[in-house]
Amino acid sequence: METRYNPRQIETEVQSLWQQTNALKVTEDPDKEKFYCLCMFPYPSGKLHMGHVRNYTIGDVISRYQRMHGKNVLQPMGWDAFGLPAENAAMSNNVPPSRWTLDNIAYMKKQLLALGFAIDWDRELATCLPDYYKWNQWLFLRMLEKGLAYQTTGTVNWDPIDQTVLANEQVIDGRGWRTGAVVEKREIPMYYLRITAYADELLDCLDKLPGWPERVRTMQANWIGRSTGVEIGFPVVGRDTILKVFTTRADTLMGATYVAVAAEHPLAKQAAERQPALAAFIEECRQGAVMEADLATQEKKGMDTGLFVHHPLTGEKLPVWVANYVLMAYGEGAVMAVPAHDQRDFEFALRYKLPIKTVIRPVTGELLEPLTEAWTEYGITIHSGEFNGLDFAGAVEAIATALAQKQLGKKRTQYRLRDWGISRQRYWGCPIPLIHCEHCGVVPVPDTQLPVKLPEDLVPDGSGNPLAKNPAFYQCTCPKCGKPARRETDTMDTFVDSSWYYLRFCNKDQDAGMVDARSKYWMPVDQYIGGIEHAILHLLYSRFWTKVMRDIGLINIDEPFSNLLTQGMVLNEIFFRKADTGRIQYFNPAEVEIKRDEAGQRIGAVLKADGTAIESGGIGTMSKSKNNGVDPQSLIDSYGADTARLFMMFTSPPEQTLEWSDSGVEGAYRFLKRLWKFATDTIDMGKAPALDKTTLTEEQRAARRKIHETIAKVDDDLGRRFTFNTAIAAVMELINTLTRLDGTSTNNHAILHEGLEITLLLLCPIVPHITQNLWQAIGHEGLIMDAHWPTSDEEALKRNEIELIIQVNGKLRGKINVAVDADEATIKSLAMANDNVVRYLENNTVKKVIVVPGRLVNIVI
RNA sequence: GCCGGGAUGGCGGAACUGGUAGACGCGCCAGACUCAAAAUCUGGUUCAGGCAACUGAGUGGGGGUUCGAUUCCCUUUCCCGGCACCA
């Protein structure tokens, strides 16, 4: 038997064995229980990063575990291949995005193969290929027919110098990333998908997803943000219009002292026509990006429009202000302001000296006036005339009724969720299949002309969409009237591509339809695994898209993902340098050297190449844009795939964030070497004898108990808890126990052999190469992945004695061994007789004794 | 700003249902092997006091519930993810 562990040779051999035996090919088998295990597919950014390795190792462990439990397991892989980075790479390298993307795919596929994932590569797909994105276009047209897709205007970031739309990521501190120009908001026509039509179902179905983490369901529920409240009309003074607002706090209506509208609100625009100062303020509000985080943290500013509205119940005149904290996208783009009971209104009122009127008091006690901050809790109405003395629900009901009588209000449900804008003024995406005809208007491309193919040889230059400058693409004829027309040059959001790829894996070779009967066999996905950063958008869009496909009759499921595992991010330090132009250049941690003082305290960081100082931007998710990824290739090259896999699984549990550090890899490698030595030592002892259960020593019984406890522990950790780190720790403990047995007796030899065989089976999902190799070495034919998962022997698990903890007043004071079936009285008297315990009981009376069976005795004095 | 999550030895983490805090690993210390080093093996390793038995403190900070709290409740600080055009 080879004495040295040689991962490179073993891994190559085992991988070619899988290939020769076609072990990873999966077909639909109605007689077998299916298990669809899916990891979020990667964006082909260039090479794998640690997040990918973590994600796909988790998926592979689960897939192989389920396969060993007899399931027909599908684990596919594909490429989320459209997107912005390809355009950026194209600009800097002068290579078309398609070339760059396909090269990256080829390289990353090699890396995935080297890691030994049990993927059925026959099902590989890439979203940038026409046979995939054709069906984006096809379904978009179906949604258009059903009124689920529509056109309206949307607000985008506009770079006034490059004359181009910017992604949020391309806006840095309110300025364009390439030009440094202050970004403006601009309204442009866009296509939307009516996800709000499914808001109730998307919310209600969250309760039917017990296999999803609670936190993800909570985040989605809050994102959808269903609230019930009252829509209130404020008649505009001197005009025949009503200003509508929505509020969840109608109980505070009598405390409204002004009304605030968003800068984009029609009333603000009208008022600005005769007031240059107001027009200038509205223009100022147009400066800056559209991101909500920016809007919500900016300084609260406003200006009086000079207009007034009547309070709908009292008729009192209230001023109308334009305020930058009111979002046009939520509700009506206008709010009634109640400074006493809303913190933002309170701050705004203080700043602009607007009145503050308290109309709610706590159920018990009084508010101390003047207020130093808004009191936002529910309470009892005061200073509210006929509505005084009501609780929250009573006040809302009474006020809503009063408003309804005047036809100035009604109860209504409001969602925070907005429709999904899918238009992108970008080249590297799926073309929206529409044609603009002077005579016929917007005309859908007929199904027979799909796909609308994206030209693959363009190189963007940063100033607008290259498709819009490419006559070969946009010149076309109208399908209705046959006259010359212009093709839509916007492409689709890449979230469209990723909203249904899991369906296409089931039947990717089907060219007559988007899906076929095979998706009925595989769907829904039994286990979906991906980064927590996708908890809202991608997962919500996929759920929506699934429901649309169901309603079109393509599939018969309500939800795409039965169980969800959200892995934490892999984080690493970010290093950067800011150029004089304000442009930020990021450096990979591998290029950086940390400087320390004599005590080992960190004092700074320099670039290895030239020794110049470099700034740290803290730690953040490993990303292409921050250039802080660690290349897993070096890990694979020096230690092999099994070490890389073991290390990733052992370092931290999957749902937690993982801060990268190079230490620990050696430990994983050392463990595999110990496993190798344990196996070769056991094999060298020769053929294993049969175990004689009648003559076992206490030590041998303990060793066998450890073996069979470990089976149960690892089964639970891999299959239910997904705590791969504790599963590995349990196997390490087992090997520690077994290697302390010396093999000279027949029974010890038998136990070592049994322990080795079970160790290999338990570790097989995590380190499939070394376990396959050793499986054959101990005399088995064929694939360990097709061997059945071991079951623990009840007989071996039995114990005669257990250890109990003795506490005095909750503090540990001793330990006793008792028979498993000892009664409470026996346990109590043994506990009280314990030497150390007796010292504490002297001169004290025992108040009570708590016995927790199987665990402890607590004596209270 | 809003929504969600997190914080445990020198480090990564364990403690699953309120019941022994620190499993397992890294690092470090000591020893064995070696001419020496690497590798490997053995032992030790939360902090403070003590020769030891043992005692005290201890799970970001403050408070509470409980016989008993890393775990539940309130509050606070810091860190991470998301915020609709990064994917």
Side-chain angles (χ1 to χ4, degrees):
Chain A
M1 185 74 206
E2 175 76 49
T3 49
R4 212 171 60 87
Y5 169 49
N6 182 345
R8 188 176 301 265
Q9 190 193 333
I10 290 170
E11 287 170 11
T12 312
E13 280 171 13
V14 169
Q15 283 167 16
S16 63
L17 177 68
W18 293 336
Q19 207 153 27
Q20 285 157 23
T21 54
N22 230 354
L24 307 179
K25 170 101 185 107
V26 189
T27 49
E28 298 70 31
D29 178 353
D31 297 331
K32 254 176 129 181
E33 192 182 345
K34 65 94 182 178
F35 191 93
Y36 186 176
C37 184
L38 181 69
C39 294
M40 290 181 186
F41 65 166
Y43 177 78
S45 54
K47 48 195 177 187
L48 290 187
H49 56 66
M50 284 300 168
H52 294 131
V53 178
R54 191 180 195 194
N55 196 167
Y56 304 138
T57 305
I58 293 168
D60 200 47
V61 172
I62 294 171
S63 293
R64 288 172 182 273
Y65 169 89
Q66 292 294 344
R67 179 167 174 158
M68 291 177 78
H69 279 75
K71 307 270 179 71
N72 188 27
V73 178
L74 169 60
Q75 182 176 226
M77 186 50 70
W79 308 95
D80 188 14
F82 274 137
L84 193 57
E87 295 191 29
N88 297 337
M91 279 190 275
S92 36
N93 308 332
N94 201 35
V95 184
S98 105
R99 238 307 271 302
W100 182 83
T101 303
L102 295 175
D103 286 353
N104 289 348
I105 288 175
Y107 182 76
M108 290 169 76
K109 182 174 177 179
K110 260 174 64 183
Q111 292 189 298
L112 290 173
L113 286 166
L115 282 160
F117 298 132
I119 290 163
D120 181 1
W121 284 102
D122 289 352
R123 295 170 188 261
E124 181 183 5
L125 60 81
T127 58
C128 65
L129 300 177
D131 61 355
Y132 183 83
Y133 68 69
K134 171 183 177 177
W135 301 106
N136 284 0
Q137 297 173 342
W138 183 84
L139 200 80
F140 173 81
L141 294 175
R142 301 292 84 74
M143 290 170 83
L144 202 64
E145 288 162 5
K146 295 193 67 160
L148 288 172
Y150 64 94
Q151 190 196 46
T152 187
T153 57
T155 316
V156 293
N157 303 307
W158 180 256
D159 186 320
I161 294 180
D162 264 350
Q163 294 282 298
T164 191
V165 175
L166 295 178
N168 284 338
E169 194 193 44
Q170 296 172 313
V171 179
I172 294 154
D173 297 332
R175 293 168 182 273
W177 68 323
R178 283 158 54 84
T179 63
V182 173
V183 168
E184 300 167 5
K185 298 180 188 70
R186 179 171 278 216
E187 302 267 314
I188 59 168
M190 303 223 293
Y191 290 92
Y192 286 83
L193 302 183
R194 210 179 290 281
I195 191 171
T196 53
Y198 286 82
D200 280 320
E201 197 195 335
L202 288 166
L203 184 64
D204 296 339
C205 279
L206 288 172
D207 293 336
K208 297 176 198 158
L209 291 171
W212 281 40
E214 188 66 43
R215 60 169 161 163
V216 175
R217 288 186 283 158
T218 306
M219 279 192 261
Q220 291 217 350
N222 290 338
W223 184 261
I224 294 166
R226 180 163 65 193
S227 57
T228 50
V230 182
E231 182 184 288
I232 302 176
F234 289 78
V236 181
V237 174
R239 297 188 188 211
D240 196 18
T241 54
I242 305 265
L243 177 64
K244 279 191 197 167
V245 307
F246 174 82
T247 180
T248 57
R249 290 301 303 271
D251 59 320
T252 64
L253 174 60
M254 305 309 275
T257 56
Y258 66 101
V259 175
V261 299
E264 301 90 349
H265 196 281
L267 204 60
K269 286 181 183 165
Q270 281 173 33
E273 281 166 16
R274 286 157 183 271
Q275 300 180 60
L278 186 61
F281 177 69
I282 290 172
E283 183 58 29
E284 189 191 324
C285 289
R286 271 166 45 84
Q287 300 278 308
V290 298
M291 289 111 89
E292 194 189 313
D294 282 5
L295 297 172
T297 48
Q298 69 191 351
E299 192 190 359
K300 285 174 197 63
K301 281 187 188 172
M303 188 174 273
D304 193 351
T305 62
L307 296 174
F308 289 88
V309 291
H310 289 294
H311 189 288
L313 296 180
T314 65
E316 186 189 352
K317 278 170 73 180
L318 304 177
V320 178
W321 282 65
V322 175
N324 65 355
Y325 71 89
V326 180
L327 301 180
M328 194 61 210
Y330 183 74
E332 303 291 338
V335 297
M336 68 173 200
V338 186
H341 304 294
D342 180 282
Q343 188 58 27
R344 289 179 307 178
D345 296 345
F346 183 84
E347 286 166 24
F348 193 85
L350 281 190
R351 174 165 182 164
Y352 293 105
K353 304 198 165 45
L354 291 156
I356 296 171
K357 188 182 167 196
T358 306
V359 292
I360 306 286
R361 65 161 173 81
V363 176
T364 53
E366 296 289 320
L367 290 181
L368 190 66
E369 298 202 57
L371 298 174
T372 52
E373 59 181 0
W375 195 73
T376 59
E377 314 278 308
Y378 290 167
I380 306 296
T381 45
I382 50 171
H383 309 313
S384 297
E386 58 179 301
F387 303 107
N388 273 345
L390 299 172
D391 66 5
F392 169 73
V396 170
E397 200 56 44
I399 286 170
T401 306
L403 289 167
Q405 277 165 8
K406 295 191 165 192
Q407 298 198 332
L408 285 175
K410 56 175 190 252
K411 283 179 132 181
R412 151 159 106 69
T413 302
Q414 170 74 28
Y415 300 91
R416 207 188 73 95
L417 180 69
R418 309 201 292 260
D419 278 337
W420 175 12
I422 59 156
S423 296
R424 298 291 180 270
Q425 299 68 45
R426 299 259 168 67
Y427 160 43
W428 192 237
C430 167
I432 294 175
L434 294 172
I435 286 165
H436 301 274
C437 172
E438 261 181 54
H439 312 278
C440 312
V442 178
V443 182
V445 172
D447 286 357
T448 51
Q449 290 176 27
L450 296 182
V452 175
K453 280 197 185 173
L454 188 69
E456 298 208 336
D457 51 353
L458 306 183
V459 176
D461 61 5
S463 66
N465 184 352
L467 292 177
K469 303 173 201 166
N470 186 254
F473 179 75
Y474 66 70
Q475 283 177 355
C476 62
T477 53
C478 171
K480 243 185 201 169
C481 67
K483 291 183 183 142
R486 188 179 166 96
R487 191 179 293 288
E488 173 64 53
T489 57
D490 280 0
T491 53
M492 292 185 196
D493 180 4
T494 56
F495 274 124
V496 172
D497 309 325
S498 56
S499 287
W500 69 282
Y501 72 105
Y502 44 89
L503 282 156
R504 193 64 182 169
F505 280 134
C506 303
N507 26 239
K508 74 146 256 187
D509 54 3
Q510 178 56 264
D511 55 14
M514 193 171 183
V515 290
D516 66 25
R518 287 172 288 176
S519 61
K520 289 202 171 64
Y521 175 79
W522 290 114
M523 291 297 292
V525 172
D526 295 281
Q527 185 65 56
Y528 196 33
I529 304 140
I532 183 66
E533 71 275 20
H534 293 293
I536 294 175
L537 292 179
H538 161 63
L539 289 168
L540 194 64
Y541 291 147
S542 296
R543 296 180 60 219
F544 161 64
W545 197 274
T546 297
K547 290 173 193 299
V548 171
M549 285 181 69
R550 175 201 62 194
D551 290 347
I552 286 172
L554 296 167
I555 50 175
N556 56 4
I557 50 165
D558 296 323
E559 288 287 339
F561 315 121
S562 303
N563 295 289
L564 175 68
L565 176 62
T566 48
Q567 64 160 357
M569 314 276 300
V570 181
L571 310 177
N572 202 4
E573 189 157 3
I574 299 162
F575 293 100
F576 70 94
R577 182 182 287 161
K578 206 164 185 174
D580 297 337
T581 57
R583 201 170 154 185
I584 290 175
Q585 191 185 3
Y586 290 97
F587 294 93
N588 194 277
E591 303 171 62
V592 177
E593 189 184 339
I594 306 294
K595 290 284 181 195
R596 293 176 192 278
D597 65 15
E598 285 158 10
Q601 278 291 312
R602 186 169 154 164
I603 48 172
V606 297
L607 203 57
K608 279 180 189 166
D610 57 13
T612 54
I614 195 162
E615 282 185 76
S616 169
I619 56 168
T621 149
M622 284 191 181
S623 73
K624 187 88 178 162
S625 60
K626 297 281 161 62
N627 190 15
N628 63 339
V630 172
D631 185 3
Q633 195 61 47
S634 57
L635 203 60
I636 302 168
D637 290 344
S638 355
Y639 297 97
D642 281 340
T643 296
R645 295 169 59 116
L646 181 67
F647 169 67
M648 292 305 289
M649 293 302 93
F650 184 58
T651 298
S652 65
E655 305 225 68
Q656 275 180 37
T657 55
L658 186 155
E659 267 176 51
W660 180 257
S661 88
D662 292 320
S663 62
V665 179
E666 274 291 345
Y669 187 57
R670 202 176 296 161
F671 172 70
L672 293 180
K673 283 194 290 189
R674 289 192 62 209
L675 171 66
W676 186 262
K677 186 169 186 307
F678 167 52
T680 50
D681 287 354
T682 305
I683 291 163
D684 288 345
M685 288 164 70
K687 192 174 171 347
L691 183 72
D692 178 2
K693 289 187 187 176
T694 59
T695 59
L696 291 173
T697 63
E698 194 46 50
E699 188 194 27
Q700 289 167 339
R701 287 169 45 94
R704 285 205 75 226
R705 195 186 308 127
K706 188 76 183 172
I707 293 172
H708 290 273
E709 280 172 352
T710 306
I711 294 174
K713 167 76 178 158
V714 173
D715 193 36
D716 191 46
D717 283 355
L718 298 189
R720 179 183 66 90
R721 296 178 67 210
F722 303 131
T723 48
F724 309 109
N725 54 332
T726 53
I728 294 163
V731 178
M732 286 174 171
E733 281 187 59
L734 175 60
I735 292 184
N736 289 343
T737 304
L738 292 174
T739 48
R740 274 182 207 121
L741 274 189
D742 88 61
T744 48
S745 79
T746 312
N747 268 348
N748 274 4
H749 185 187
I751 291 167
L752 287 172
H753 183 83
E754 180 188 19
L756 172 60
E757 187 163 295
I758 282 164
T759 297
L760 295 179
L761 289 165
L762 297 182
L763 286 178
C764 169
I766 298 163
V767 284
H769 307 93
I770 187 174
T771 49
Q772 172 64 42
N773 183 286
L774 293 173
W775 185 249
Q776 288 166 276
I778 63 173
H780 291 284
E781 296 287 323
L783 299 171
I784 187 172
M785 66 197 284
D786 287 327
H788 206 273
W789 190 258
T791 46
S792 40
D793 176 357
E794 290 298 325
E795 187 64 30
L797 291 173
K798 283 194 180 147
R799 280 172 187 276
N800 298 325
E801 275 199 336
I802 48 168
E803 188 185 62
L804 289 187
I805 294 310
I806 308 170
Q807 296 178 336
V808 177
N809 285 346
K811 286 193 191 288
L812 173 65
R813 297 300 178 197
K815 297 175 184 182
I816 51 170
N817 281 313
V818 298
V820 172
D821 52 1
D823 60 20
E824 199 167 309
T826 315
I827 291 171
K828 272 188 190 172
S829 60
L830 276 171
M832 309 284 264
N834 179 279
D835 288 349
N836 201 35
V837 172
V838 166
R839 295 199 292 129
Y840 287 90
L841 300 186
E842 277 169 15
N843 306 322
N844 281 302
T845 46
V846 175
K847 286 185 191 147
K848 80 177 152 173
V849 179
I850 294 153
V851 178
V852 182
R855 286 200 187 268
L856 57 74
V857 181
N858 187 14
I859 301 162
V860 185
I861 55 174

